[in-house]
Amino acid sequence: RRVHGGLILESEQMLDTQASSAQDGNLRNVVVLNGHTGTVNGCSFSADGTKVLSCSTDMIVRVWDIVKGHQITSMSGHTGTVNASLFSPDGTKVISCSNDMSIRVWDGTTGQQIAVMNGHSGSVNGCSFSPDGTRVVSCSNDETIRVWDSTTGQQVAVMNGHTSWVKACCFSPDGTKV
């Protein structure tokens, strides 16, 4: 579940994403976003709350207009299940990570691929932008965390030492720690 301004996003073993309102304490659907042909693995709001991302076992990331309830664009290129997707802090880019061992950066408006980040040797389970949007952190079943340049896709750091899969990662609020 994700929450933004009284709206709650859900995607639990469904082929759609639902936005519900809880402003008066009563939960009710505002919009159901249909389009994926596989289980929806994750969903997230844009910083301004007007758009929603969803990612799925169908290998596609979709951008939705939450107000109008329709798809804005989709992003295809992964060759495995997409495990996570997020907007950049300024909303202009999208990142996604997949069982195909890649992280991809997309233009958040057109859906065009900007960069592909390869280096993990296992499924990539999580990814996140730095607070300024210039870097991406990713984590994987290969037991590593990696940091990337979000524009060029170049790897800038590898963190080893985990003894099992790494399932989640993020930057500190000031962007100095992972």
Side-chain angles (χ1 to χ4, degrees):
R1 283 188 173 184
R2 303 280 192 257
V3 179
H4 187 281
L7 286 179
I8 301 168
L9 278 180
E10 297 184 90
S11 62
E12 298 176 1
Q13 301 300 314
M14 303 178 305
L15 302 182
D16 55 25
T17 301
Q18 298 181 23
S20 304
S21 175
Q23 288 181 337
D24 61 2
N26 296 314
L27 190 63
R28 63 184 171 282
N29 275 346
V30 174
V31 65
V32 176
L33 307 168
N34 294 301
H36 285 290
T37 58
T39 301
V40 176
N41 288 331
C43 52
S44 59
F45 282 105
S46 60
D48 65 5
T50 63
K51 294 182 219 138
V52 168
L53 276 178
S54 59
C55 61
S56 170
T57 59
D58 66 10
M59 302 180 283
I60 297 174
V61 177
R62 297 180 188 276
V63 180
W64 305 90
D65 181 314
I66 194 72
V67 177
K68 296 178 182 173
H70 67 81
Q71 182 178 301
I72 297 169
T73 191
S74 64
M75 299 154 190
S76 300
H78 283 293
T79 58
T81 294
V82 182
N83 295 316
S85 59
L86 292 168
F87 284 102
S88 61
D90 67 3
T92 62
K93 296 178 186 172
V94 168
I95 52 171
S96 58
C97 62
S98 169
N99 286 354
D100 68 9
M101 301 184 284
S102 76
I103 304 97
R104 295 173 190 259
V105 180
W106 313 87
D107 181 290
T109 303
T110 67
Q112 293 297 309
Q113 187 173 282
I114 296 170
V116 179
M117 301 162 187
N118 290 304
H120 284 291
S121 60
S123 295
V124 184
N125 300 314
C127 56
S128 184
F129 277 101
S130 61
D132 65 4
T134 61
R135 291 170 291 144
V136 169
V137 63
S138 62
C139 59
S140 169
N141 287 357
D142 68 7
E143 303 174 2
T144 68
I145 295 173
R146 297 171 190 258
V147 178
W148 313 83
D149 181 291
S150 67
T151 302
T152 67
Q154 294 298 307
Q155 183 177 287
V156 296
V158 179
M159 293 167 235
N160 296 296
H162 291 277
T163 58
S164 189
W165 299 350
V166 186
K167 301 296 267 178
C169 57
C170 66
F171 283 94
S172 61
D174 66 0
T176 62
K177 298 174 193 69
V178 172

